[in-house]
Amino acid sequence: MPDSQLCLEALSALSGCNVEATSGVSQLSPQDFVNIVTLKEFYKQEGFKELEYPSIGTLSLQDPEDQDLYSAPLALTEGPGPEPSLRATVKINLQDFFHPQYDYDFTNIKDGSAQYLRGNEPYIRPCGWNRVALRVSKKYDDSDVWLGTGKDAWPVSYNGHNMDGSLGIILAHKGGPSDEPSFLDAAAASLVEERKRGRGVYSTPDIKMAEKYCKRFKSKVDGKTYKVVLQNRINPEKRVKCQRDHFWVVYIPEDYSDLQTKAIVQESIRPYGLLLKQA
């Protein structure tokens, strides 16, 4: 397992919280972290500025790293004295949260033409990354079949950063609009069929695509910059493949409450690895 403080920094970068170690009970589970990461992107897509999450309160959805020249500056706290941190502090127990027995370092591995399956679907292994295993075995009521390698296992997906909505995934194209037929077809369909607008939570089965959207942070442990991605399993009955290749969405209906939205994420995406790679 990489340095534990480095792992805490990675979780902090992903969640937007200050994640610290404790010998007591963890405030958040691995499932909570994937909930927070995906819900933050979803609610940003919906135009919200904050996310309320049980046990930690209000989380800001305004990430200074994502601000551009046209973004409004973050509001300054009024009143005397230094401005308090906008980041919530979260305590986790390292022994309860991580599962070193299942760590796997893919840093120097190249799969080439080798093919792997999870749930009878292609599994693109995270070659070039170091995987820190999360303690999720026997944490769900429906056994660990979802975490296996057989036909009933859930397929693998990766959560990047800023993987949001119809404009971000189905209609948008880095560098401007594309005139490729596949892009134009997706854009036209999204305007005709409301469901194709992609209101929901996004992930990708392709680690190279996730890397393009991944979060970066500079570590105080060694001064190096790292990329971080969550490796998950996704419920094949809840996931829909987007018209643009390499993206999956779990749809969230317009009339769903915050509680229902959290519930559908929780029953659709389960994390099992924290991926780190030196930038």
Side-chain angles (χ1 to χ4, degrees):
M1 178 176 171
D3 184 276
S4 60
Q5 187 59 41
L6 177 62
C7 294
L8 293 174
E9 289 177 340
L11 291 173
S12 298
L14 278 173
S15 65
C17 302
N18 293 318
V19 183
E20 301 175 356
T22 180
S23 58
V25 178
S26 294
Q27 283 182 268
L28 298 178
S29 68
Q31 181 65 54
D32 287 313
F33 271 89
V34 78
N35 289 353
I36 289 171
V37 170
T38 55
L39 288 173
K40 285 183 72 172
E41 296 303 327
F42 171 70
Y43 281 114
K44 278 167 60 178
Q45 167 191 335
E46 293 293 290
F48 290 88
K49 302 297 183 184
E50 295 177 332
L51 166 68
E52 290 289 334
Y53 199 82
S55 81
I56 56 175
T58 302
L59 298 176
S60 173
L61 304 184
Q62 295 177 301
D63 189 340
E65 294 181 10
D66 297 335
Q67 301 253 317
D68 57 32
L69 294 176
Y70 302 100
S71 299
L74 295 177
L76 297 177
T77 302
E78 297 181 357
E83 180 184 354
S85 172
L86 297 176
R87 294 161 66 98
T89 296
V90 173
K91 306 280 189 179
I92 65 167
N93 185 306
L94 298 179
Q95 291 185 337
D96 291 342
F97 195 89
F98 295 111
H99 207 166
Q101 177 184 347
Y102 296 102
D103 288 354
Y104 200 97
D105 191 353
F106 290 92
T107 301
N108 298 311
I109 293 178
K110 296 181 180 179
D111 281 342
S113 60
Q115 297 182 341
Y116 299 87
L117 296 175
R118 295 292 184 271
N120 277 353
E121 295 194 25
Y123 167 35
I124 301 174
R125 301 202 304 172
C127 295
W129 296 74
N130 192 354
R131 183 176 70 201
V132 182
L134 305 180
R135 193 172 291 276
V136 292
S137 178
K138 304 189 187 322
K139 297 294 185 181
Y140 298 90
D141 294 336
D142 55 353
S143 77
D144 286 343
V145 173
W146 66 277
L147 194 55
T149 60
K151 62 181 180 63
D152 294 325
W154 289 9
V156 173
S157 78
Y158 302 95
N159 269 107
H161 180 60
N162 282 340
M163 299 175 71
D164 61 351
S166 60
L167 295 179
I169 297 300
I170 295 180
L171 293 181
H173 186 276
K174 276 191 174 291
S178 170
D179 57 1
E180 297 174 3
S182 60
F183 176 84
L184 296 175
D185 289 345
S190 71
L191 296 175
V192 172
E193 187 176 346
E194 184 67 25
R195 195 163 188 258
K196 290 294 191 296
R197 288 185 179 272
R199 184 182 190 271
V201 169
Y202 285 84
S203 62
T204 175
D206 187 345
I207 183 60
K208 291 183 178 179
M209 187 62 68
E211 185 172 358
K212 292 181 181 180
Y213 290 88
C214 75
K215 190 77 174 178
R216 296 169 181 246
F217 68 96
K218 185 173 182 179
S219 174
K220 294 180 181 178
V221 174
D222 56 15
K224 297 177 181 177
T225 299
Y226 290 88
K227 301 175 182 179
V228 58
V229 168
L230 277 178
Q231 186 176 25
N232 317 305
R233 296 298 185 96
I234 191 165
N235 188 334
E237 296 181 359
K238 301 292 184 180
R239 164 219 61 188
V240 177
K241 297 180 180 180
C242 293
Q243 292 178 338
R244 278 186 64 186
D245 290 339
H246 310 302
F247 289 105
W248 292 343
V249 61
V250 173
Y251 281 108
I252 298 177
E254 291 277 357
D255 59 348
Y256 265 35
S257 66
D258 290 345
L259 189 61
Q260 289 173 307
T261 298
K262 178 176 176 287
I264 197 170
V265 170
Q266 191 152 307
E267 67 188 19
S268 302
I269 304 177
R270 295 174 179 175
Y272 73 106
L274 178 71
L275 301 179
L276 292 167
K277 182 178 183 179
Q278 191 172 329

